[in-house]
Amino acid sequence: MRMLTAGGLALLAGCGGEPAPYSTLAPAGPAAGSIAWLWWAMFGAGSLVLIAVCVIWLRALCRAPAAEAVERRRQRQWMVGGGLLLPSLSIVLLLAFGIPIGHRLQPGASPDGDALRIDITARQWQWRVRYPDTGIELLDALHIPVGRSVDLYLRTEDVIHAFWVPRLAGKLDMIPGRTNVLRLRADAPGHYQGLCAEYCGVGHAHMPILVEAHAPADFADWLEAQRNAR
Ligand code: CUA
């Protein structure tokens, strides 16, 4: 049983070893970490409710019926407890945990003067990445420094797209006429796969973006090399 549980958890977390490139359960930064934590909390609470309901159901199947008045009182107790109190408590708990996490994912929630701004514009079916004041422009690739907040200013030229790098942050829609800002941070150097998470036409499935996180000194070198190449 213990092996089965461990096997199931490993499967959910991406089979151990190298994390799956699009796994939200292998977070590599604080934003994705909060989302993964909330996912595990909801999974745990949902599992407990499922087990409790199964136990109550089996007990109900096995016990002999009581007198009619007693049965009616029990029914009322279950309706109030299981139909009103339990859902109310669950929703309050979910909101108490979920709202602060959602709030922390907004760049405005914790202003960071050191955050690096990068502009990303989506179009069918490409990501144009621009580093303000540098003239650097990339296609379908994003380079960021490790350990520093990055604010991505997300826009679209045509239809709605959604920027999503599962191991670094949640997804955010890019809506025509609007600029949405997504903050992310990578805690370790490496490659992180991203994709478009909103159906945007026939090329939607072929709209990946590759994020490369560099150690701070390497990022400075990369930036310098890109500037010199222009
Ligand atoms: Cu862009 Cu889907």
Side-chain angles (χ1 to χ4, degrees):
M1 179 65 194
R2 201 177 292 164
M3 264 181 71
L4 264 178
T5 313
L9 289 179
L11 201 71
L12 282 167
C15 308
E18 268 298 289
Y22 295 107
S23 176
T24 50
L25 299 182
S34 303
I35 293 167
W37 187 90
L38 185 62
W39 189 91
W40 281 111
M42 286 170 68
F43 176 71
S47 303
L48 283 180
V49 170
L50 176 68
I51 292 167
V53 168
C54 289
V55 168
I56 293 167
W57 171 63
L58 287 172
R59 274 193 58 192
L61 279 182
C62 297
R63 81 181 167 83
E68 206 183 317
V70 178
E71 283 297 323
R72 220 175 274 137
R73 200 183 65 234
R74 276 186 186 154
Q75 271 177 13
R76 252 197 317 272
Q77 282 171 348
W78 278 110
M79 271 197 291
V80 173
L84 291 173
L85 292 180
L86 183 65
S88 306
L89 184 72
S90 308
I91 288 170
V92 167
L93 277 177
L94 184 63
L95 293 180
F97 282 107
I99 288 177
I101 288 178
H103 188 67
R104 276 202 302 276
L105 298 178
Q106 308 283 327
S110 49
D112 183 347
D114 189 41
L116 173 70
R117 173 181 173 154
I118 302 174
D119 295 329
I120 303 185
T121 306
R123 65 174 172 216
Q124 288 169 321
W125 291 276
Q126 252 175 357
W127 308 94
R128 221 171 52 223
V129 176
R130 280 204 203 95
Y131 293 74
D133 309 322
T134 63
I136 299 171
E137 194 172 312
L138 309 171
L139 273 184
D140 300 334
L142 171 64
H143 291 252
I144 57 171
V146 162
R148 182 174 167 194
S149 294
V150 178
D151 286 350
L152 302 175
Y153 284 68
L154 305 174
R155 293 189 196 86
T156 171
E157 274 180 16
D158 38 44
V159 298
I160 298 177
H161 303 265
F163 181 88
W164 192 29
V165 184
R167 294 194 59 208
L168 293 181
K171 53 183 89 157
L172 191 60
D173 278 2
M174 308 164 94
I175 298 163
R178 282 184 60 170
T179 301
N180 286 335
V181 185
L182 178 74
R183 171 167 294 172
L184 54 80
R185 196 183 82 203
D187 284 337
H191 290 90
Y192 303 100
Q193 298 273 1
L195 43 75
C196 180
E198 182 73 46
Y199 182 71
C200 54
V202 291
H204 162 71
H206 305 286
M207 209 176 153
I209 182 164
L210 182 65
V211 182
E212 187 171 351
H214 306 266
D218 296 341
F219 181 74
D221 291 346
W222 175 85
L223 214 58
E224 196 54 36
Q226 290 287 318
R227 265 207 201 105
N228 291 338
R230 259 147 242 268

